[in-house]
Amino acid sequence: MLSLKSLGLACALGTTMLVGCTTHSADLKKPAQSGKATITLQSHLWELQQALTSQSTPDPQWQIPASNGKTARTIGINFSAYQRISVDRLCNTLMGSYSTQGEHIQISRLAATMMACNDNALMELEQNVAQQLPKAQTWKVMDGPAPTLELKFEGGASWQFKGTPTHETLYGNSQRIFLEVAPQKVACNHPLMPNAQCLRVREIQYSSQGIKQSVGEWQNYYGSIEGYTHQDGVRNVLRIKRFTRDQAPADASKHIDVLDMTVESEIVR
């Protein structure tokens, strides 16, 4: 029997021998046409800008409340090309599947990661969002200086989102790599940052069966991994999407690394 760790690694590697790790073809129905590129659900990340009641009046209950010195903010939604939906900026990440047929959309019941959260208001909002999104009935993308996505729900309420191009839209396909991140940062030399602290990482190579084939040498990591927040004393193995940009600033890497999935996480005493 496969362990949960093995299951997570198999899904991370993209193998299809396990139920729950299969993918689906990209859904590109009903795009809005832009002068530069086709705008689809998948081509942008969507940030909630306005929620309206069935009477078209503002409905502020969907705004993330201010807490711990942070200002109020809004939820973000990502529709992947594999018909998966994820919702972030809450306590946990909500995940599920979706499908479209013309202007109609169907979103599955959403599951949540199991991160502890001491913010009761945020937890309540998370639960309400998980209940609301499966009620979505139609979708529409409106082009403009910043594209807008509108979701309409049963009962007549609606949400409007501002779109930001995904890394795939900006830079094309990515390379998948696995990085092990050491539990502690180390002092490192950075020309622009005195007393800099860097992550220590090493690359891991796996076979298609999830067997570790090779482990690279530890080295300092001078940039940042988008979507990853390091906690001292925690060792992680991360699945990374690495994008390459044609024109990078002189003081920056040509690579952009984005967290795709945490494969392993271990507290190191």
Side-chain angles (χ1 to χ4, degrees), residues 23-28 41-42 78-84 98:
T23 59
H24 305 275
S25 59
D27 172 29
L28 301 176
L41 282 175
Q42 303 83 17
N78 175 38
F79 295 89
S80 82
Y82 303 107
Q83 293 183 294
R84 304 295 297 174
Y98 75 95

Side-chain angles (χ1 to χ4, degrees), residues 86-160:
S86 62
V87 186
D88 58 21
R89 305 184 189 178
L90 300 163
C91 283
N92 296 278
T93 298
L94 300 175
M95 298 170 290
S97 61
Y98 75 95
S99 62
T100 64
Q101 186 173 4
E103 66 179 7
H104 298 285
I105 187 168
Q106 183 173 1
I107 297 175
S108 73
R109 181 178 178 181
L110 300 177
T113 55
M114 300 299 292
M115 185 180 297
C117 182
N118 296 323
D119 190 328
N120 292 332
L122 191 57
M123 279 298 298
E124 182 179 358
L125 175 61
E126 178 181 303
Q127 294 167 5
N128 291 340
V129 169
Q131 294 173 1
Q132 179 72 2
L133 278 171
K135 298 177 183 178
Q137 293 184 325
T138 63
W139 70 282
K140 178 173 62 175
V141 171
M142 296 164 281
D143 200 2
T148 299
L149 166 66
E150 181 181 67
L151 291 181
K152 287 192 174 181
F153 301 91
E154 60 182 57
S158 64
W159 290 0
Q160 293 183 352

Side-chain angles (χ1 to χ4, degrees), residues 50-228:
Q50 181 175 235
L52 299 175
T53 67
S54 57
Q55 289 77 39
S56 298
T57 58
D59 188 358
Q61 66 170 306
W62 304 108
Q63 186 178 52
I64 298 175
S67 62
N68 299 325
K70 296 181 179 179
T71 58
R73 60 194 192 282
T74 57
I75 65 173
I77 294 184
N78 175 38
F79 295 89
S80 82
Y82 303 107
Q83 293 183 294
R84 304 295 297 174
I85 180 175
S86 62
V87 186
D88 58 21
R89 305 184 189 178
L90 300 163
C91 283
N92 296 278
T93 298
L94 300 175
M95 298 170 290
S97 61
Y98 75 95
S99 62
T100 64
Q101 186 173 4
E103 66 179 7
H104 298 285
I105 187 168
Q106 183 173 1
I107 297 175
S108 73
R109 181 178 178 181
L110 300 177
T113 55
M114 300 299 292
M115 185 180 297
C117 182
N118 296 323
D119 190 328
N120 292 332
L122 191 57
M123 279 298 298
E124 182 179 358
L125 175 61
E126 178 181 303
Q127 294 167 5
N128 291 340
V129 169
Q131 294 173 1
Q132 179 72 2
L133 278 171
K135 298 177 183 178
Q137 293 184 325
T138 63
W139 70 282
K140 178 173 62 175
V141 171
M142 296 164 281
D143 200 2
T148 299
L149 166 66
E150 181 181 67
L151 291 181
K152 287 192 174 181
F153 301 91
E154 60 182 57
S158 64
W159 290 0
Q160 293 183 352
F161 300 81
K162 180 180 71 174
T164 302
T166 65
H167 289 91
E168 286 83 359
T169 299
L170 293 173
Y171 305 114
N173 294 330
S174 62
Q175 175 190 5
R176 175 186 289 178
I177 64 172
F178 292 84
L179 292 180
E180 180 178 2
V181 182
Q184 302 293 341
K185 290 185 176 182
V186 296
C188 58
N189 294 322
H190 194 291
L192 301 178
M193 297 174 57
N195 304 316
Q197 295 281 311
C198 291
L199 297 175
R200 290 277 285 172
V201 304
R202 59 182 178 180
E203 188 170 352
I204 300 177
Q205 301 281 346
Y206 294 98
S207 70
S208 59
Q209 290 75 36
I211 299 173
K212 187 180 294 184
Q213 293 184 314
S214 64
V215 178
E217 297 293 329
W218 287 107
Q219 56 184 317
N220 293 344
Y221 186 94
Y222 288 91
S224 62
I225 300 171
E226 293 188 21
Y228 174 69

Side-chain angles (χ1 to χ4, degrees), residues 31-57:
Q33 295 298 323
S34 168
K36 295 182 179 179
T38 298
I39 300 173
T40 69
L41 282 175
Q42 303 83 17
S43 66
H44 285 61
L45 301 174
W46 303 101
E47 180 184 21
L48 182 63
Q49 295 294 293
Q50 181 175 235
L52 299 175
T53 67
S54 57
Q55 289 77 39
S56 298
T57 58

